Amino acid sequence: MHQSTRHYFETRLALACDPMTTAARLASSRLHADYVVYENGGTWSYAGGALAEITLDRTGARLHRPRGEEVHLPWDGHPLQQVQTLLDTVDTAHWRAYGWAAFELSYAKDGDTAHIGDQRLLHLVVPHTEIRIDAGQAHLRCADQAGLTAALAVLTARHTEPRPVPEAVDVRRAGADAYRRAVGAAVDAINDTRLQKVIFSRVVPVETDVDFVGTYLAGRRGNNPARSFLLNLGGIEATGFSPEIVVQVAPDGRVVSQPLAGTRALTGDHTEDQRLRTELLADPKEIYEHAISVKIACDELHGVCRPGTVDVEEFMAVKERGTVQHLASRVGGHLAPGLRAWDAFQAVFPAVTASGVPKDAAYDSIRSNESETRGLYSGAVLTVDHDGAMDAALVLRSVYRQHGRTWLRAGAGIVGHSRPERELEETCEKLGSVGRYLVPAPAPETHPHPDPHPDPDPAAPASADPAAAAGAGAVTAGARP
């Protein structure tokens, strides 16, 4: 049955506040239980609620609409094609979808469900309310006039922005011994030619309750990421400062991937940072790790791009990302005729810089040596547009909360020359990009029950009229005190 096209109610508003703070204010406003904030190239977007919701798990892909409408495509071995099929049915004009993909999608994207459980692999929403903030202006799009009015009320309300004080967590001890052992096992596998490179990660529990919006503000001020995000979607909360994109696809089919591999600390001391930069650019281990990552990125894009269009646009630049500096390259190409953004995503996901070389062998090693599934860690937060554009950020340098548990996670690339102690230190350097900016959640307000028979205030003057005394401070219901 053909559905008529829906249109957003739209308006624009000049803003005095900076876009990051405005986006964070929307996230904390409770306008919507589920939301995504995504920063891309100086533009912040807030996506709240859902006009359409697409999820993917081992049973297949589902499209949910308001009023309980649902379309289910049972698993057929081509899950990302199913996602594209469902997005093609979205009946909202000029839609953009926001969401995330779990690392474990990498095991299943070619049809194999042997290594995934019942977890959700992908979650996208076409939002009920979308606000894009750029250059002092907000562009609001809402499914109804009431939503537009509510969003405007948040944006125009007087608000004093707090400057919460972060508390750093100890990122050195959790899982350190197990991590050293895993690195040693990986080096043995590499020397036995079963692998060329693998990324192992470790989990750092966070025992305190974290304010995710406050952490986003503090962490974004202290980082200079390629992308940043803040989300509460499908039972997962996360905020992070992504050092690189997995893939970017333009409406005309231009594709870019950005492998970062090779790391040294960024200390804030100019002389020391320059020494570490020089060391990074001359270290054979780091250069090898980076070069094979670039080679794989090129090979993957060759599989989906027109012949002769794939090239290395930038090679081994140094990018500063929070508490670390990385070797960085850009690989680009142009999609072959008939292919779309999801074909590019399938070709490069997961990022080689978060998995390994070759990828299938790296997956086996990751499953065997890491303490738990990855979920959102080293997956992607992404936007997908009606015109074929896509922007997918690698989820690293992040804090996560699910099922009442909060944690950090970071890894390092392991090759034949890796040393366990140095790889452990690299995870600490990366964890500092978020671990030093965790803002504690405010204590819940307490409202003690009043004493039904309070003692009289000895400093208060006696009143000859008890009724008048009782009513002196009374406020009529509905009146302003």
Side-chain angles (χ1 to χ4, degrees), residues 37 43 106 176 206 218 263 277 289 303 308 322 335 341 377 419 441 457 468:
V37 169
T43 296
S106 58
V206 177
T263 306
R277 178 190 181 109
E289 178 188 345
L335 282 176
Y377 168 75
R419 295 176 290 110
D457 183 354

Side-chain angles (χ1 to χ4, degrees), residues 46-65:
Y46 167 85
L51 285 180
E53 186 173 27
I54 294 173
T55 57
L56 178 69
D57 59 25
R58 65 180 302 124
T59 68
R62 286 179 171 79
L63 169 66
H64 304 263
R65 289 192 179 95

Side-chain angles (χ1 to χ4, degrees), residues 202-334:
R202 64 187 182 95
V203 175
V204 175
V206 177
E207 303 299 338
T208 56
D209 191 12
V210 171
D211 175 354
F212 273 66
V213 176
T215 296
Y216 176 73
L217 287 170
R220 180 59 186 85
R221 291 183 182 115
N223 280 274
N224 50 341
R227 303 288 187 270
S228 72
F229 66 88
L230 168 67
L231 64 82
N232 187 345
L233 184 61
I236 295 176
E237 291 178 82
T239 188
F241 316 103
S242 174
E244 65 182 277
I245 57 172
V246 179
V247 69
Q248 185 178 44
V249 184
D252 66 357
R254 180 66 180 168
V255 184
V256 172
S257 187
Q258 185 193 38
L260 269 67
T263 306
R264 284 295 185 274
L266 195 61
T267 67
D269 181 297
H270 177 75
T271 302
E272 176 64 5
D273 289 340
Q274 190 60 47
R275 185 191 70 78
L276 291 169
R277 178 190 181 109
T278 302
E279 181 182 285
L280 173 62
L281 286 164
D283 189 318
K285 178 264 180 185
E286 305 289 359
I287 293 171
Y288 173 74
E289 178 188 345
H290 185 80
I292 61 173
S293 299
V294 174
K295 174 65 165 60
I296 293 301
C298 289
D299 291 345
E300 290 172 338
L301 288 188
H302 274 298
V304 292
C305 288
R306 290 203 313 255
T309 65
V310 175
D311 61 354
V312 179
E313 301 174 353
E314 181 180 51
F315 183 66
M316 262 181 48
V318 176
K319 300 291 186 183
E320 297 182 351
R321 297 288 187 245
T323 54
V324 291
Q325 46 191 326
H326 292 292
L327 297 178
S329 297
R330 285 173 61 89
V331 180
H334 203 286

Side-chain angles (χ1 to χ4, degrees), residues 110-111 189 479:
D110 294 317

Side-chain angles (χ1 to χ4, degrees), residues 324-390:
V324 291
Q325 46 191 326
H326 292 292
L327 297 178
S329 297
R330 285 173 61 89
V331 180
H334 203 286
L335 282 176
L339 299 186
R340 302 172 70 178
W342 287 106
D343 298 294
F345 183 84
Q346 178 160 335
V348 302
F349 184 83
V352 65
T353 52
S355 53
V357 181
K359 282 187 175 179
D360 285 341
Y363 299 157
D364 289 338
S365 190
I366 288 167
R367 287 192 295 265
S368 299
N369 287 280
E370 292 192 344
S371 61
E372 58 188 75
T373 57
R374 289 187 170 188
L376 189 53
Y377 168 75
S378 69
V381 173
L382 65 156
T383 64
V384 191
D385 282 79
H386 69 284
D387 61 5
M390 173 184 284

